[in-house]
Amino acid sequence: MSEMIRRSEISMLDTARHFFDQAANLLKLEEPLRELLRYPKRKLIVTFPIRMDSGQVRHFEGYRVQHHPVLGPTKGGIRYHPEVTLEEVEALAVLMAWKCAVLNLPFGGAKGGVKCDPKEMSIPELERMTRRYAAEIAFMIGPDVDIPAPDVYTSEREMAWIVDTISMHHHGQFMPGLITGKPKILGGSEGRDTATGRGGFFVSLQTLKQLKMKLEGATVAVQGFGNAGAAIAQYFHDAKARVIALSDSRGGILSNKSLDPKAVKRHKAKTGSVVKFKGSDSIINEELLELRCDLLIPSALENQLTKKNAKKIRAKAVIEVANGPTTKEADQILHERGIPVVPDILANAGGVTVSYFEWVQDRAFDFWSADHVDDRLKEFMDQAFQRVWEVHKKERVDLRTAAYMVAVRRVAEAARARGLYA
Ligand code: NAD
C-alpha cells in the first residue's frame, strides 16, 4: 500500500461489533460462543528502542492482535501509521476473521501495526524498526500460528525483512510460509499485487448479473486510486465498462467517456495526483460519492458513506473495496433505500485469498502460473458470493448481514465442534 492518509472519530471496532451482534442474534448464537468470538484471544503491545540516523534513540509502540485460531492459524496485515491504535488493530483483526470465514479459508483473523510515520523515516531506519518489531512479535508468528502480510504503508520490502528476521530466530532456517505478500524470489505468489482489485471485480460481475445489469457500458465511480482502486478501475475499463470518475486524497476527476487508468497512472506519477488529468473535469471527493452511476466503489478510507451523505447516494449498488467505508447508520439508510452494498468482508477478500494461495504454494514448494492463480481466485470469489447471496435471499437480510451470518456460523460451528478446553 502506498499513500493512505485518513483518520476519523467513528469507531471501526464499534461498527464491527455491531454487525457481529446482529448476525449472532439472527443465528441465535449461544452466549458462551458469543462471548468467545466477540473478543480477540490475544492482544500484544510492544515498545522498543531504535537508533535513528541522527544517533538519537527513539521508542516505538507496536501491536499484534489475534482473533481466534479455531479454523487454523490467524492471518492479517501489518500497518505503519502515526495514528494506528490497539483498538484499530483489534477492529481490523476481527474483520479479517470474518473475511477469511466468508471465503472458507482455513484461517482466523489477525492484524498488526506500528505507530510511526514512515514518510518521515529513512530506509535504514525503517529496516531497523521493522526487524526489531518482527523480533518482538516473533514468538507468536509462524506458518502454523499467525501469518502477517502487507497493509497500509508496508509492502513486499518489509515482508522480506520480516521473513529474514524471524527465520534467523529459527536457527536461520528459511520459513517462507510465515508471511505473505513477499517478493516472488522469496516465495511470493503471482497475482498478489492486483488480487484485491481482481477479487473486487469478480464480485462486481456477480452483483451486476444478479441485478440484471450489463457490464459493457456500466458506469463506475472509484474513490481512491491506490493499489486496490487503480487495479479495479483498470479491470472495468478493459471490460468496456465506463470509468466515469476517479479520485485520490487531493481530489477527483470526471469524464463522460471512460477514464483510462493506465494513462491516469502516468499522469499521477508525473504530477502526484489524478487531478487535472487531460480531458477530465475536476470534482471534489464528496461529489464523486454522490454521482449518478451504476457502481460506486469506495477504495480509499473507512467511514466515507455516513448518515450525512447516505440519502444522496445515487449509485445502483456499492462495492466496498476499502475496509469499513460505510458506517452502520449509512448502511441502514442505504438498505432502506434499496441500494445493495456488497460488504468489505466479501468485496475486498481477493487479497487474503491470494495470500492463502501463497501460503499453500510456500508449504508445498510448488508454484502456480498467473493463469492458475486467476482461475482459482475467480472460483473462490464466485463461491463466496453465492454463499452470501443465498443467505441474503433465504433470510431476507441485506448482503452485509448475510456475509456476517455465513462467517459467524462457520467459525462458531468449528468452535462448537472443538468444544471447551477447561
Ligand atoms: P493505498 O494507500 O495504495 O491507496 C489509497 C488511495 O486512497 C490513494 O490513492 C489515496 O490518495 C486515496 N485517498 C486517501 N484519502 C482520500 C480521500 N479523502 N478521498 C479519496 N481518496 C483518498 O491503499 P490500498 O492498498 O489501495 O487500500 C485502500 C483500501 O482498501 C483500504 O481501506 C484498505 O484497507 C483496503 N484493502 C486493501 C487491500 C490491498 O490488498 N491493497 C486488501 C484489502 C483491503
Side-chain angles (χ1 to χ4, degrees), residues 314-376:
R314 290 184 293 168
K316 294 200 181 118
V318 176
I319 311 283
E320 290 187 340
V321 165
N323 277 316
T326 311
T327 65
K328 57 182 192 248
E329 292 83 10
D331 199 58
Q332 183 63 28
I333 296 169
L334 292 170
H335 178 56
E336 283 162 12
R337 293 187 55 217
I339 300 176
V341 177
V342 184
D344 46 8
I345 58 169
L346 170 62
N348 72 26
V352 69
T353 302
V354 176
S355 269
Y356 163 63
F357 298 161
E358 180 173 334
W359 178 76
V360 167
Q361 294 170 70
D362 286 342
R363 309 205 86 194
F365 291 98
D366 178 10
F367 294 93
W368 306 354
S369 68
D371 283 347
H372 187 59
V373 170
D374 201 54
D375 289 348
R376 294 229 62 197

Side-chain angles (χ1 to χ4, degrees), residues 17 34-41 67-68 90 94:
R17 285 195 182 142
R34 196 182 286 237
E35 275 290 297
L36 179 84
L37 300 181
R38 202 162 191 267
Y39 304 101
K41 186 177 180 67
H67 188 246
H68 286 277
E90 178 176 342
V94 172

Side-chain angles (χ1 to χ4, degrees), residues 254-275:
L254 177 69
S255 166
N256 53 14
K257 301 199 192 86
S258 186
L259 293 159
D260 175 359
K262 268 198 201 100
V264 177
K265 245 188 198 169
R266 283 196 295 272
H267 172 79
K268 188 173 161 97
K270 261 194 247 153
T271 65
S273 170
V274 300
V275 177

Side-chain angles (χ1 to χ4, degrees), residues 1-5 79 192 196 223-229 247-249 268 285 299-301 321-323 348:
M1 301 208 188
S2 47
E3 49 172 280
M4 177 109 156
I5 301 163
R79 146 177 313 204
R192 176 64 186 84
T196 302
Q223 183 204 35
F225 196 66
N227 176 320
S247 69
D248 61 24
S249 56
K268 188 173 161 97
N285 257 301
S299 312
L301 323 163
V321 165
N323 277 316
N348 72 26

Side-chain angles (χ1 to χ4, degrees), residues 157-172:
R157 179 183 67 188
E158 284 76 16
M159 302 305 108
W161 292 333
I162 295 173
V163 75
D164 181 65
T165 305
I166 300 185
S167 293
M168 286 302 150
H169 281 242
H170 290 266
H171 316 290

